[in-house]
Amino acid sequence: MDRTTPVVPAADIQRQKEYCQELRALNAQKPAPPRAYVDTYGCQQNEADSELLRGMLWDMGYQIADTDQGADVIVINTCAIREHAEQRVFGNVGALVHGKRKNPAQIVCLCGCMAQEPHVAERLRKTYRHVDLVFGPQALWRFPELLRRVYLRRGRVFETAPDDGAIAEGLPVRRSGKLKAWVSIMYGCNNFCTYCIVPYTRGRERSREPEIILDEIRSLAEQGYKDITLLGQNVNSYGRDLEGGWDFPRLLEAAAGIPGEFLLRFMTSHPKDATERLFDVMAACEKVAPAIHLPFQSGNDRVLAAMNRRYTREQYLDKVRLLRERLPHVVLTSDVIVGFPGETTPEFEDTLSLIEAVRFDALFTFIYSPRKGTPAAELPDPMSKQEKSANFDRLVAAQNRISLEKHRSYIGTVQRCLIDGAGEDPRNSLTARTAGGRLVHLSGGSALIGQFADVKIAGCSTWALFGELT
Ligand code: 5AD
Ligand code: SF4
């Protein structure tokens, strides 16, 4: 298949596997198996990347630990999307200095989006001298080589130069769950929304080959996975760099044709690229969950243009109308930013009126956070923090009311749910998800975990439904 995206040659992946074996042999000489801990911040893509890191660490002979206490290798997989996420990472990485003092042989690694920000790499280099290895998301497949370099030379390694990225296949994976799995279908983002750091940290859009993705889904279905989420920064641009006429609706339809009892989800969809054909496939395929995350970011046309979102409020509303024509009961969720530089309170009120018009099932609400190197960070931002917080509170209050009203409409209905875990409250010993992805608390025996069951909804809160087995 001809493609414009660079693919890592199989021989280079093989070399990484040889580094794994070399480290495995060294680790086998230790009195007890060494332990590695991977801590993950941020999005599902990072969760998926951490499963690859754990797969590589396992191949290198490390036991996977669930705490940093006493770990021989610590990997912090970071997120750069907002200032708050970065502050938490700096705080937690700073605290690791004590453990390292007790165990100087410990190796501390920092990877993920923060590693790809030049000012962060600089700060780590100068001030966080107990961090041994720093590498960005595009260098993830070379983790065995980089760790080996630190291990054998005991020097610090920074692999943080700008990198558009390539596709690396055949990496080992250790999945965290037995029911739910992530499948990356593409990496990177070309959209350059003016507030967003992701196109700078995760490189250019590149798609995995459809056959490889479909084989992975087939294998997950055979292993008994019940809930499979296809991941990409913008899944709707899948296939643009592939020959053969592949696009996201076609991939989704092909995935839904794979035998087995499972549901397919996907995220995230950019509204400008969400097509009628996508909605048709969602409506036609029983295995595709009736749910879509369609971030709108703002309800005001001037702000949308300043964000470089490339759709208007009316175009967004048209997409939602089209979607609901095809899937009247679709669960619709979204992301929104309050306090984009220059946003006035009347402009914010267009966001408020958009959520009243659409009535999302749930909303992820964020206060704008300036990211160094993005165009929005250079814009004048005269609104005070207090005014932004007041607008934010109004938005959250309105959405909480809508979420509660939406949840109330489930009462008395029977929902086919995947029982996915044990509940924390003894009166509700199980948790489940509706096909649309809403959380349900219910009681029942733990033997039901992993099964689809009909659940009658008897109550609700803003955040969850309460049900009983029928
Ligand atoms: N400030 C606040 N929120 C942001 N997001 C992305 N960048 C920023 C930023 N600089 C939000 C968007 C995106 C979600 C993943 O995070 O709403 O959809
Ligand atoms: Fe960021 Fe926009 Fe790309 Fe999403 S589509 S990752 S918000 S630049």
Side-chain angles (χ1 to χ4, degrees), residues 299-344:
N300 175 270
D301 284 344
R302 191 200 66 79
V303 176
L304 284 170
M307 287 175 163
N308 190 31
R309 289 294 287 178
R310 287 175 279 171
Y311 53 82
T312 62
R313 173 193 177 94
E314 235 5 87
Q315 285 166 337
Y316 185 87
L317 291 172
D318 281 345
K319 288 266 155 100
V320 171
R321 254 175 246 130
L322 201 60
L323 170 71
R324 285 189 170 145
E325 246 171 61
R326 299 292 191 284
L327 292 124
H329 300 295
V330 71
V331 168
L332 177 59
T333 55
S334 196
D335 292 344
V336 52
I337 298 176
V338 174
F340 183 81
E343 182 186 63
T344 63

Side-chain angles (χ1 to χ4, degrees), residues 189 191-193 195-196 198-199 233 270 297 309:
C189 183
N191 285 319
F192 291 94
C193 301
Y195 50 80
C196 187
V198 169
Q233 300 303 332
H270 195 302
Q297 313 296 5
R309 289 294 287 178

Side-chain angles (χ1 to χ4, degrees), residues 7 19 60 71 104 139 142 203 238 258 279 301 307-308 318 331 353 367 370 399 402:
V7 178
Y19 292 135
M60 288 184 253
R142 289 193 290 119
Y238 175 78
I258 291 172
F279 304 152
D301 284 344
M307 287 175 163
N308 190 31
D318 281 345
V331 168
S353 77
I367 292 191
Q399 181 57 42
I402 295 168

Side-chain angles (χ1 to χ4, degrees), residues 314-423:
E314 235 5 87
Q315 285 166 337
Y316 185 87
L317 291 172
D318 281 345
K319 288 266 155 100
V320 171
R321 254 175 246 130
L322 201 60
L323 170 71
R324 285 189 170 145
E325 246 171 61
R326 299 292 191 284
L327 292 124
H329 300 295
V330 71
V331 168
L332 177 59
T333 55
S334 196
D335 292 344
V336 52
I337 298 176
V338 174
F340 183 81
E343 182 186 63
T344 63
T345 290
E347 286 171 338
F348 159 76
E349 283 164 352
D350 287 341
T351 290
L352 211 51
S353 77
L354 187 141
I355 73 155
E356 296 289 356
V358 174
R359 295 176 60 80
F360 296 99
D361 292 80
L363 204 54
F364 297 85
T365 44
F366 307 106
I367 292 191
Y368 170 74
S369 169
R371 308 283 66 215
K372 215 179 236 159
T374 62
E378 307 299 319
L379 295 174
D381 192 2
M383 191 185 273
S384 69
K385 270 194 179 145
Q386 288 81 339
E387 205 176 336
K388 288 189 184 188
S389 301
N391 287 344
F392 182 82
D393 293 346
R394 284 173 73 190
L395 184 70
V396 171
Q399 181 57 42
N400 285 351
R401 173 180 44 74
I402 295 168
S403 292
L404 184 60
E405 286 165 5
K406 286 239 153 184
H407 275 171
R408 281 208 187 109
S409 71
Y410 281 81
I411 294 177
T413 65
V414 173
Q415 300 285 323
R416 187 144 185 80
C417 295
L418 174 63
I419 316 279
D420 62 356

Side-chain angles (χ1 to χ4, degrees), residues 263-266 282 285-292 327 330 435-437:
L263 274 181
L264 285 164
R265 304 180 190 281
F266 54 92
M282 290 175 71
C285 299
E286 221 174 281
K287 282 205 177 92
V288 178
I292 186 164
L327 292 124
V330 71

Side-chain angles (χ1 to χ4, degrees), residues 233-253:
Q233 300 303 332
N234 174 17
V235 291
N236 294 326
S237 41
Y238 175 78
R240 285 191 187 156
D241 54 334
L242 295 176
E243 294 278 307
W246 283 90
D247 61 7
F248 183 60
R250 182 172 164 201
L251 182 75
L252 192 61
E253 195 170 35

